[in-house]
Amino acid sequence: MRLLLAEDDQSLQEVLVRGLHEAGYVVDGVEEGSLAIDYFKLYSYSVAILDWKLPDISGLEVLKWVRKMGIATPILVLTARDAPRDRVLALDEGADDYLIKPFHFEELLARLRALLRRPGGDRDPILKVGSLTYDPAMVAIEIHGKRIDLPPREFSILGCLIRNYPNVTRRRAIALAGWPEESDTLGSNTIDVHIARLRSKLVASDVKVETVRGVGYRLVRT
């Protein structure tokens, strides 16, 4: 299960990441709200943990953006705020749970398990644009109801594009999606080659990958 953790306290983040790994989670840890949004654009998560107080965009603002985009990932908010009005505010903005610092790690794990037990709590959303259907849980796409197999990197690139539809996805984000371990040294031609291959797989659909010069790519209806 993949989990996003947004926590700006480095020492706490390191402890949480280590413990969550031991509990069986694949964890993406970030320290800024803007990075959390970028990762939500790139990946589907089984569950997310957002610290309320982040240095650029607050966890609450990230939460608002997530729900505005229709992302149903269960979200637990971490905070030192213990006033009832703060808990009410977070829950009203779309949080699924609220945990006050300091806390016992075992309680955090129990709350995550409870979120994942909810109907649909461990399933990534199926995304559709026109005749194209993208199912991250099944690692498959369909065009006009017919299954089309994609290599893993092209599947990851398409996921990045469709989650950000209809907006432009920057080349940097595509590099992170397809080559997370090599994104800093990846040649631009490598991305172009895989985009060309992806385009060839989508020719039977009413969706194409459009180049936005100097910026990146986006999906458009034809």
Side-chain angles (χ1 to χ4, degrees), residues 105-122:
F105 184 68
E106 291 77 9
E107 181 181 0
L108 174 64
L109 290 180
R111 288 175 179 267
L112 293 175
R113 289 194 296 269
L115 291 177
L116 292 169
R117 283 197 298 269
R118 295 181 181 180
D122 193 23

Side-chain angles (χ1 to χ4, degrees), residues 18-183:
R18 184 165 56 250
L20 290 165
H21 278 158
E22 292 174 356
Y25 293 92
V26 176
V27 183
D28 291 327
V30 299
E31 298 175 7
E32 298 177 355
S34 57
L35 284 175
I37 288 175
D38 286 342
Y39 272 74
F40 270 117
K41 291 177 180 178
L42 288 172
Y43 305 111
S44 292
Y45 291 98
S46 298
V47 66
I49 301 170
L50 301 179
D51 183 25
W52 186 314
K53 187 179 180 181
L54 294 171
D56 56 349
I57 302 173
S58 73
L60 201 64
E61 290 301 316
V62 175
L63 175 62
K64 290 179 182 178
W65 179 89
V66 167
R67 297 311 185 217
K68 182 179 179 181
M69 297 301 294
I71 299 171
T73 301
I75 293 177
L76 182 148
V77 171
L78 286 181
T79 182
R81 298 169 179 253
D82 59 359
R85 64 178 179 275
D86 291 325
R87 291 196 292 271
V88 170
L89 177 59
L91 294 169
D92 281 347
E93 292 294 351
D96 297 277
D97 202 355
Y98 188 99
L99 186 58
I100 298 172
K101 299 177 180 179
F103 55 87
H104 291 288
F105 184 68
E106 291 77 9
E107 181 181 0
L108 174 64
L109 290 180
R111 288 175 179 267
L112 293 175
R113 289 194 296 269
L115 291 177
L116 292 169
R117 283 197 298 269
R118 295 181 181 180
D122 193 23
R123 179 174 174 83
D124 296 327
I126 295 173
L127 304 174
K128 295 184 178 182
V129 176
S131 61
L132 174 64
T133 300
Y134 177 91
D135 188 343
M138 298 298 292
V139 194
I141 70 167
E142 291 184 354
I143 295 176
H144 296 295
K146 180 181 178 181
R147 179 170 174 140
I148 305 293
D149 292 323
L150 291 180
R153 282 205 171 100
E154 289 166 34
F155 186 80
S156 296
I157 292 170
L158 179 58
C160 184
L161 292 168
I162 200 168
R163 289 188 189 97
N164 203 30
Y165 173 82
N167 301 311
V168 177
T169 301
R170 294 184 177 275
R171 293 177 67 91
R172 170 63 175 165
I174 291 172
L176 281 169
W179 299 265
E181 305 300 327
E182 310 166 49
S183 59

